[in-house]
Amino acid sequence: MPKNEIVLNLEYMPRGHTGHLVPSQAVVDAFKKFYEKKPFTNLLEFGFCSGWSSAMILTLFPEVKITSIEMVEIDSSIEGVSILAEKFPGRHKVIWAKSEDVFEQYKKDTSVLDSDFDCCFIDGGHHPEIVDNDVRLCKLLGIKNYIFDDTHSTNITDGIK
């Protein structure tokens, strides 16, 4: 099977306002390898868009729960949250805010976020200072396992450094 062939049908999810992670063989294989190496059950996701990444992860790993942080609350994002609530009850929630604001709120009141995340998926803002903030929040939460998307972008790699 070609690495770029779509292997999960997520066409039930709305189209996003930006690009989204598609469940190609390569992407699915990568997530399975991440999970195999360090199984996770409570994922913090930065960037939801319309929910394709969340739908893929929830489909692949039935024991996983996801909390997404998304600042763009538009029709396709709201629809994606609604679809996931129906299809995967109790396994997904969203925080509508900038991750920078969540970081500042969490420093004042830890009840803003669960504290038992065991992995994060960073695919939100594509600027070094935003990636840096996302990593700082994960460190504050005690998360040790990171998955980054778009690492071909120097903005992302600069943020990781």
Side-chain angles (χ1 to χ4, degrees):
M1 181 176 300
K3 285 287 194 187
N4 60 353
E5 185 174 332
I6 304 299
V7 294
L8 286 178
N9 181 1
L10 300 181
E11 290 296 318
Y12 60 87
M13 294 300 291
R15 296 283 175 213
H17 59 280
T18 62
H20 58 268
L21 194 65
V22 294
S24 68
Q25 187 67 58
V27 169
V28 167
D29 287 349
F31 271 88
K32 286 180 176 178
K33 284 180 185 171
F34 296 142
Y35 185 83
E36 206 173 274
K37 194 166 201 146
K38 287 284 186 181
F40 50 89
T41 58
N42 196 5
L43 181 81
L44 179 60
E45 175 184 45
F46 294 85
F48 178 77
C49 191
S50 61
W52 282 61
S53 300
S54 291
M56 180 189 69
I57 294 166
L58 293 168
T59 299
L60 290 173
F61 311 111
E63 64 287 345
V64 171
K65 292 182 179 182
I66 299 174
T67 299
S68 301
I69 299 173
E70 174 59 58
M71 66 179 229
V72 182
E73 191 173 358
I74 59 174
D75 290 346
S76 61
S77 301
I78 294 166
E79 182 184 357
V81 169
S82 176
I83 290 169
L84 294 182
E86 184 178 315
K87 192 162 181 64
F88 304 101
R91 294 182 53 210
H92 180 264
K93 67 180 176 181
V94 66
I95 297 170
W96 298 108
K98 288 177 157 184
S99 62
E100 298 96 318
D101 294 341
V102 174
F103 179 77
E104 292 303 319
Q105 290 172 354
Y106 185 81
K107 288 192 311 187
K108 296 173 189 164
D109 178 8
T110 59
S111 68
V112 171
L113 280 172
D114 293 333
S115 59
D116 62 343
F117 295 106
D118 49 12
C119 188
C120 68
F121 176 47
I122 298 180
D123 187 21
H126 288 69
H127 299 284
E129 62 277 3
I130 296 172
V131 176
D132 178 63
N133 178 80
D134 296 348
V135 170
R136 288 185 315 124
L137 176 55
C138 291
K139 286 181 175 181
L140 186 61
L141 292 165
I143 299 172
K144 295 184 180 10
N145 300 304
Y146 296 74
I147 302 168
F148 292 91
D149 192 26
D150 300 317
T151 55
H152 61 278
S153 166
T154 55
N155 280 342
I156 302 300
T157 55
D158 288 350
I160 293 169
K161 289 176 188 171

mmCIF file of all heavy atoms in Angstrom, residues 23-49:
data_model
loop_
_atom_site.group_PDB
_atom_site.id
_atom_site.type_symbol
_atom_site.label_atom_id
_atom_site.label_comp_id
_atom_site.label_asym_id
_atom_site.label_seq_id
_atom_site.Cartn_x
_atom_site.Cartn_y
_atom_site.Cartn_z
ATOM 1 N N PRO A 23 -5.412 11.035 7.317
ATOM 2 C CA PRO A 23 -5.026 9.701 7.792
ATOM 3 C C PRO A 23 -4.449 8.825 6.674
ATOM 4 O O PRO A 23 -4.991 7.790 6.317
ATOM 5 C CB PRO A 23 -6.339 9.142 8.335
ATOM 6 C CG PRO A 23 -7.382 9.802 7.493
ATOM 7 C CD PRO A 23 -6.862 11.172 7.191
ATOM 8 N N SER A 24 -3.307 9.252 6.126
ATOM 9 C CA SER A 24 -2.610 8.454 5.120
ATOM 10 C C SER A 24 -1.914 7.285 5.814
ATOM 11 O O SER A 24 -1.770 7.271 7.048
ATOM 12 C CB SER A 24 -1.582 9.308 4.386
ATOM 13 O OG SER A 24 -0.540 9.665 5.273
ATOM 14 N N GLN A 25 -1.454 6.344 5.035
ATOM 15 C CA GLN A 25 -0.746 5.189 5.602
ATOM 16 C C GLN A 25 0.449 5.651 6.419
ATOM 17 O O GLN A 25 0.676 5.167 7.524
ATOM 18 C CB GLN A 25 -0.295 4.245 4.485
ATOM 19 C CG GLN A 25 0.298 2.948 5.012
ATOM 20 C CD GLN A 25 -0.732 2.092 5.710
ATOM 21 O OE1 GLN A 25 -1.729 1.729 5.123
ATOM 22 N NE2 GLN A 25 -0.505 1.784 6.972
ATOM 23 N N ALA A 26 1.192 6.624 5.922
ATOM 24 C CA ALA A 26 2.377 7.111 6.633
ATOM 25 C C ALA A 26 2.017 7.748 7.968
ATOM 26 O O ALA A 26 2.674 7.512 8.984
ATOM 27 C CB ALA A 26 3.142 8.106 5.752
ATOM 28 N N VAL A 27 0.970 8.556 7.989
ATOM 29 C CA VAL A 27 0.557 9.234 9.220
ATOM 30 C C VAL A 27 0.024 8.220 10.230
ATOM 31 O O VAL A 27 0.392 8.246 11.411
ATOM 32 C CB VAL A 27 -0.487 10.333 8.915
ATOM 33 C CG1 VAL A 27 -1.113 10.867 10.194
ATOM 34 C CG2 VAL A 27 0.150 11.462 8.119
ATOM 35 N N VAL A 28 -0.821 7.318 9.776
ATOM 36 C CA VAL A 28 -1.372 6.284 10.666
ATOM 37 C C VAL A 28 -0.243 5.425 11.230
ATOM 38 O O VAL A 28 -0.195 5.157 12.437
ATOM 39 C CB VAL A 28 -2.431 5.438 9.928
ATOM 40 C CG1 VAL A 28 -2.780 4.179 10.716
ATOM 41 C CG2 VAL A 28 -3.677 6.273 9.656
ATOM 42 N N ASP A 29 0.682 5.013 10.377
ATOM 43 C CA ASP A 29 1.820 4.207 10.843
ATOM 44 C C ASP A 29 2.650 4.970 11.876
ATOM 45 O O ASP A 29 3.076 4.395 12.880
ATOM 46 C CB ASP A 29 2.721 3.800 9.671
ATOM 47 C CG ASP A 29 2.106 2.726 8.789
ATOM 48 O OD1 ASP A 29 1.068 2.132 9.173
ATOM 49 O OD2 ASP A 29 2.659 2.500 7.685
ATOM 50 N N ALA A 30 2.864 6.264 11.648
ATOM 51 C CA ALA A 30 3.650 7.063 12.596
ATOM 52 C C ALA A 30 2.966 7.116 13.957
ATOM 53 O O ALA A 30 3.616 6.916 14.997
ATOM 54 C CB ALA A 30 3.869 8.472 12.036
ATOM 55 N N PHE A 31 1.660 7.372 13.971
ATOM 56 C CA PHE A 31 0.950 7.428 15.254
ATOM 57 C C PHE A 31 0.944 6.077 15.948
ATOM 58 O O PHE A 31 1.069 5.997 17.173
ATOM 59 C CB PHE A 31 -0.463 7.987 15.074
ATOM 60 C CG PHE A 31 -0.514 9.476 15.200
ATOM 61 C CD1 PHE A 31 -0.297 10.286 14.102
ATOM 62 C CD2 PHE A 31 -0.729 10.081 16.432
ATOM 63 C CE1 PHE A 31 -0.308 11.665 14.224
ATOM 64 C CE2 PHE A 31 -0.741 11.457 16.565
ATOM 65 C CZ PHE A 31 -0.528 12.254 15.455
ATOM 66 N N LYS A 32 0.804 5.014 15.189
ATOM 67 C CA LYS A 32 0.860 3.676 15.801
ATOM 68 C C LYS A 32 2.235 3.422 16.421
ATOM 69 O O LYS A 32 2.332 2.831 17.500
ATOM 70 C CB LYS A 32 0.529 2.604 14.766
ATOM 71 C CG LYS A 32 -0.944 2.542 14.417
ATOM 72 C CD LYS A 32 -1.218 1.464 13.383
ATOM 73 C CE LYS A 32 -2.697 1.335 13.092
ATOM 74 N NZ LYS A 32 -2.975 0.323 12.054
ATOM 75 N N LYS A 33 3.292 3.887 15.754
ATOM 76 C CA LYS A 33 4.647 3.720 16.308
ATOM 77 C C LYS A 33 4.828 4.552 17.572
ATOM 78 O O LYS A 33 5.429 4.090 18.534
ATOM 79 C CB LYS A 33 5.698 4.097 15.264
ATOM 80 C CG LYS A 33 5.877 3.036 14.211
ATOM 81 C CD LYS A 33 6.924 3.443 13.191
ATOM 82 C CE LYS A 33 6.975 2.412 12.084
ATOM 83 N NZ LYS A 33 7.811 2.825 10.959
ATOM 84 N N PHE A 34 4.314 5.801 17.558
ATOM 85 C CA PHE A 34 4.371 6.620 18.766
ATOM 86 C C PHE A 34 3.701 5.882 19.919
ATOM 87 O O PHE A 34 4.243 5.797 21.020
ATOM 88 C CB PHE A 34 3.657 7.965 18.583
ATOM 89 C CG PHE A 34 4.252 8.889 17.562
ATOM 90 C CD1 PHE A 34 3.427 9.648 16.761
ATOM 91 C CD2 PHE A 34 5.624 9.003 17.405
ATOM 92 C CE1 PHE A 34 3.953 10.513 15.812
ATOM 93 C CE2 PHE A 34 6.166 9.866 16.464
ATOM 94 C CZ PHE A 34 5.325 10.622 15.668
ATOM 95 N N TYR A 35 2.516 5.375 19.642
ATOM 96 C CA TYR A 35 1.718 4.718 20.676
ATOM 97 C C TYR A 35 2.397 3.433 21.158
ATOM 98 O O TYR A 35 2.404 3.128 22.351
ATOM 99 C CB TYR A 35 0.312 4.420 20.142
ATOM 100 C CG TYR A 35 -0.595 3.861 21.197
ATOM 101 C CD1 TYR A 35 -1.260 4.705 22.077
ATOM 102 C CD2 TYR A 35 -0.774 2.490 21.341
ATOM 103 C CE1 TYR A 35 -2.086 4.194 23.061
ATOM 104 C CE2 TYR A 35 -1.594 1.972 22.315
ATOM 105 C CZ TYR A 35 -2.250 2.824 23.176
ATOM 106 O OH TYR A 35 -3.060 2.320 24.157
ATOM 107 N N GLU A 36 2.945 2.689 20.222
ATOM 108 C CA GLU A 36 3.634 1.443 20.563
ATOM 109 C C GLU A 36 4.824 1.718 21.480
ATOM 110 O O GLU A 36 5.067 0.999 22.446
ATOM 111 C CB GLU A 36 4.132 0.811 19.252
ATOM 112 C CG GLU A 36 4.316 -0.673 19.276
ATOM 113 C CD GLU A 36 4.645 -1.154 17.875
ATOM 114 O OE1 GLU A 36 3.708 -1.412 17.099
ATOM 115 O OE2 GLU A 36 5.861 -1.262 17.557
ATOM 116 N N LYS A 37 5.549 2.777 21.176
ATOM 117 C CA LYS A 37 6.745 3.119 21.953
ATOM 118 C C LYS A 37 6.386 3.659 23.335
ATOM 119 O O LYS A 37 7.010 3.314 24.329
ATOM 120 C CB LYS A 37 7.562 4.152 21.178
ATOM 121 C CG LYS A 37 8.942 4.332 21.687
ATOM 122 C CD LYS A 37 9.787 5.092 20.690
ATOM 123 C CE LYS A 37 11.210 4.791 20.993
ATOM 124 N NZ LYS A 37 12.090 4.736 19.916
ATOM 125 N N LYS A 38 5.397 4.530 23.404
ATOM 126 C CA LYS A 38 4.960 5.139 24.665
ATOM 127 C C LYS A 38 3.434 5.243 24.654
ATOM 128 O O LYS A 38 2.877 6.274 24.277
ATOM 129 C CB LYS A 38 5.549 6.552 24.826
ATOM 130 C CG LYS A 38 7.005 6.589 25.144
ATOM 131 C CD LYS A 38 7.221 6.227 26.580
ATOM 132 C CE LYS A 38 8.678 6.409 26.942
ATOM 133 N NZ LYS A 38 8.939 6.055 28.301
ATOM 134 N N PRO A 39 2.734 4.184 25.063
ATOM 135 C CA PRO A 39 1.269 4.243 25.069
ATOM 136 C C PRO A 39 0.768 5.430 25.888
ATOM 137 O O PRO A 39 1.350 5.781 26.910
ATOM 138 C CB PRO A 39 0.861 2.921 25.723
ATOM 139 C CG PRO A 39 2.026 2.014 25.523
ATOM 140 C CD PRO A 39 3.239 2.910 25.558
ATOM 141 N N PHE A 40 -0.281 6.055 25.394
ATOM 142 C CA PHE A 40 -0.855 7.211 26.080
ATOM 143 C C PHE A 40 -2.361 7.011 26.192
ATOM 144 O O PHE A 40 -2.968 6.283 25.406
ATOM 145 C CB PHE A 40 -0.524 8.520 25.358
ATOM 146 C CG PHE A 40 -0.813 8.514 23.883
ATOM 147 C CD1 PHE A 40 -2.051 8.889 23.395
ATOM 148 C CD2 PHE A 40 0.167 8.144 22.969
ATOM 149 C CE1 PHE A 40 -2.321 8.895 22.036
ATOM 150 C CE2 PHE A 40 -0.085 8.146 21.604
ATOM 151 C CZ PHE A 40 -1.339 8.527 21.134
ATOM 152 N N THR A 41 -2.943 7.632 27.214
ATOM 153 C CA THR A 41 -4.394 7.526 27.412
ATOM 154 C C THR A 41 -5.065 8.882 27.527
ATOM 155 O O THR A 41 -6.275 8.986 27.373
ATOM 156 C CB THR A 41 -4.722 6.709 28.676
ATOM 157 O OG1 THR A 41 -4.106 7.336 29.798
ATOM 158 C CG2 THR A 41 -4.258 5.267 28.549
ATOM 159 N N ASN A 42 -4.283 9.932 27.810
ATOM 160 C CA ASN A 42 -4.856 11.263 28.010
ATOM 161 C C ASN A 42 -3.974 12.274 27.273
ATOM 162 O O ASN A 42 -2.935 12.681 27.783
ATOM 163 C CB ASN A 42 -4.956 11.579 29.494
ATOM 164 C CG ASN A 42 -5.877 12.741 29.778
ATOM 165 O OD1 ASN A 42 -6.528 13.281 28.884
ATOM 166 N ND2 ASN A 42 -5.921 13.157 31.023
ATOM 167 N N LEU A 43 -4.409 12.660 26.089
ATOM 168 C CA LEU A 43 -3.617 13.484 25.185
ATOM 169 C C LEU A 43 -4.074 14.943 25.238
ATOM 170 O O LEU A 43 -5.269 15.224 25.191
ATOM 171 C CB LEU A 43 -3.780 12.956 23.756
ATOM 172 C CG LEU A 43 -3.018 13.674 22.660
ATOM 173 C CD1 LEU A 43 -1.578 13.189 22.627
ATOM 174 C CD2 LEU A 43 -3.678 13.421 21.318
ATOM 175 N N LEU A 44 -3.111 15.850 25.316
ATOM 176 C CA LEU A 44 -3.385 17.276 25.190
ATOM 177 C C LEU A 44 -2.999 17.678 23.773
ATOM 178 O O LEU A 44 -1.852 17.502 23.362
ATOM 179 C CB LEU A 44 -2.578 18.083 26.212
ATOM 180 C CG LEU A 44 -2.762 19.598 26.175
ATOM 181 C CD1 LEU A 44 -4.228 19.985 26.427
ATOM 182 C CD2 LEU A 44 -1.854 20.267 27.196
ATOM 183 N N GLU A 45 -3.972 18.212 23.041
ATOM 184 C CA GLU A 45 -3.753 18.590 21.644
ATOM 185 C C GLU A 45 -3.787 20.108 21.501
ATOM 186 O O GLU A 45 -4.732 20.755 21.957
ATOM 187 C CB GLU A 45 -4.858 17.976 20.771
ATOM 188 C CG GLU A 45 -4.798 18.389 19.325
ATOM 189 C CD GLU A 45 -5.945 17.852 18.498
ATOM 190 O OE1 GLU A 45 -7.111 17.920 18.958
ATOM 191 O OE2 GLU A 45 -5.679 17.375 17.393
ATOM 192 N N PHE A 46 -2.766 20.648 20.858
ATOM 193 C CA PHE A 46 -2.718 22.072 20.549
ATOM 194 C C PHE A 46 -3.089 22.235 19.086
ATOM 195 O O PHE A 46 -2.377 21.751 18.205
ATOM 196 C CB PHE A 46 -1.309 22.630 20.794
ATOM 197 C CG PHE A 46 -0.905 22.614 22.232
ATOM 198 C CD1 PHE A 46 -0.355 21.473 22.794
ATOM 199 C CD2 PHE A 46 -1.093 23.728 23.027
ATOM 200 C CE1 PHE A 46 0.016 21.449 24.130
ATOM 201 C CE2 PHE A 46 -0.722 23.719 24.365
ATOM 202 C CZ PHE A 46 -0.169 22.573 24.914
ATOM 203 N N GLY A 47 -4.219 22.880 18.831
ATOM 204 C CA GLY A 47 -4.711 23.054 17.473
ATOM 205 C C GLY A 47 -5.711 21.961 17.129
ATOM 206 O O GLY A 47 -5.357 20.791 17.071
ATOM 207 N N PHE A 48 -6.936 22.335 16.942
ATOM 208 C CA PHE A 48 -8.008 21.390 16.627
ATOM 209 C C PHE A 48 -8.470 21.537 15.183
ATOM 210 O O PHE A 48 -8.800 20.558 14.543
ATOM 211 C CB PHE A 48 -9.186 21.615 17.594
ATOM 212 C CG PHE A 48 -10.362 20.726 17.345
ATOM 213 C CD1 PHE A 48 -10.344 19.405 17.752
ATOM 214 C CD2 PHE A 48 -11.499 21.212 16.707
ATOM 215 C CE1 PHE A 48 -11.436 18.570 17.533
ATOM 216 C CE2 PHE A 48 -12.594 20.396 16.484
ATOM 217 C CZ PHE A 48 -12.567 19.069 16.895
ATOM 218 N N CYS A 49 -8.475 22.767 14.689
ATOM 219 C CA CYS A 49 -8.997 23.098 13.360
ATOM 220 C C CYS A 49 -10.410 22.552 13.258
ATOM 221 O O CYS A 49 -11.305 23.023 13.941
ATOM 222 C CB CYS A 49 -8.075 22.596 12.256
ATOM 223 S SG CYS A 49 -8.464 23.219 10.610
#
